[in-house]
Amino acid sequence: MSPKAPWLTKTFLASLFLGIGGFLYGYDSGIITPSLALGSFVTYFDKPNAPLRGAIVSVYQAGAWLGSASVGITSDRLGRRKAIAFGCIWGVLGGALMAGAAHVAMLIIGRLLVGYAVGTITGVAPVFGAEIAKTHERARITAVNQMMVAWGFFVALWVGVGEGKWNNANQWRLGFAIQAIPALILGVGVLFIGESPRWLCLQGRYKDAEETFYRWHHDGANEEWCRTEFALIQSSIAEEVQAQQQNRLGWVDLVRTPAFRKRLFVGSFVWAAAMLSGISFVQYFQTAIYATLQFDQDQQLLVSGLYGCVAPVACILSLFFVDRIGRKKILITSSALLSVSYLIITILAALYPARPGLPTNAAAQKGLIACIFMVSANYSALLGPMTWIIPPEVFTTELRAKANAVVQVIHYSISLIITQCSPIALERVGWKYYILFILTNALCAVVFWLAYPETRGKSLEQIDEIFGDIEKKRDVEVNVVENLVVGKDADQK
């Protein structure tokens, strides 16, 4: 490998393209936020009450739950590329249904299909990215997903601002129609990039895997590194396949041994922490929060648009340090700061409530909004990228697709509960609901501190050794490969 690896590698550029799946996730999540604030949308669907608003939002999570649950099958059988393309089909259909919705049932079905697409894509794309990345760039490549989620959310919120300025009864349909575009681009384009070499090895297609690996990584000057690295990957997967033949690995193996259970806990809890951070509540229902501050429709849409500007900047900044700082340190810091942010939000909302017909405290309003923006910045730069980085890297190749499917099911299950309950809780208990997120974030910080291993700077195969469930002889294998390379060089001389 060259001493100074360039940033714009083939794998990084591929991760940017695969990040369209993250963009779709962010856009689909974000576009419902301004829609719920549009008078034309509310009027067309006969002023939906809090439970129905929660259902319109949370059915997306239900669809994503179904999509992520199917990933263990589609990703292993079809391959990483075709599984992503399969998910994109449902994204195009769902976007079309939502744009043409004649009644609320049609809207909900469309949102369910879009959710299924996002669940499928986000279950596969991070795995794909982690499997093609070099060790030193893996965090940066998988963190691209969070950056693209942020950009998707940013675009969705500003599309909402534009819809609010367009004086038309069908203004809300435009944002829903746009959903189909990234799904179509990703679904077609992903078929023209190389497959995961690790998945090809798992299928026993070693020659295809080696050729694909070289297309991803060979730069004309790193022949020795390519041979050594591919030998490590091949030997590691060969051990997994051998173990599989002796005792076929299936879904139950995710919890069969203490080491696998720890893998599943580490991969799942980071997503649970992300959802319990309150980010989905803030993203989906921030206009409702602004409504409690007595903001009108245009003010709600404008502030939500400004909120959407925070995350992309934070995500771009994270790309410069996410591979340099330990995963554990980032997780603890993020959760602790989120708990403090919600504490300040709770205090401001409790001491300076905005009541109809009474003067409001402008400084308190600005402080509360600033803390909401800080929640976005914190999550987007710290905790958010870790949700895409950690799960794919802590599982073995054989179980990576299945395990990531379980992780995403847990992710969307918690998100579904939060999004269904939040509008009801906000309506009934107001600022007291924020206390929940003070406690959950504080608890997550403690769990990260006590239970998480450090995986920064280690290859996917070396991470296997941290958990200790697969016996490795890699040092011997590396020496054998290096000796072969040295021997060939000597013969040539």
Side-chain angles (χ1 to χ4, degrees), residues 103-138:
H103 44 73
V104 73
M106 192 171 171
L107 177 72
I108 287 175
I109 292 172
R111 193 153 168 80
L112 182 74
L113 293 180
V114 170
Y116 182 86
V118 167
T120 302
I121 297 165
T122 58
V124 182
V127 170
F128 192 3
E131 289 182 342
I132 64 175
K134 294 178 181 177
T135 300
H136 71 274
E137 65 177 357
R138 188 176 63 245

Side-chain angles (χ1 to χ4, degrees), residues 423-487:
I424 301 171
L426 193 61
E427 184 176 79
R428 294 184 180 178
V429 300
W431 62 265
K432 297 181 182 68
Y433 184 52
Y434 307 146
I435 297 173
L436 170 67
F437 302 114
I438 300 174
L439 300 176
T440 54
N441 283 293
L443 175 63
C444 289
V446 173
V447 172
F448 289 140
W449 177 47
L450 295 176
Y452 263 58
E454 182 55 66
T455 56
R456 183 179 72 91
K458 299 185 182 297
S459 71
L460 296 180
E461 287 68 40
Q462 288 171 332
I463 290 172
D464 291 341
E465 298 172 1
I466 292 178
F467 291 93
D469 52 345
I470 291 182
E471 187 177 338
K472 297 293 175 188
K473 304 171 185 175
R474 191 158 296 105
D475 291 340
V476 175
E477 291 161 354
V478 171
N479 289 334
V480 170
V481 174
E482 289 178 342
N483 289 336
L484 287 173
V485 173
V486 170

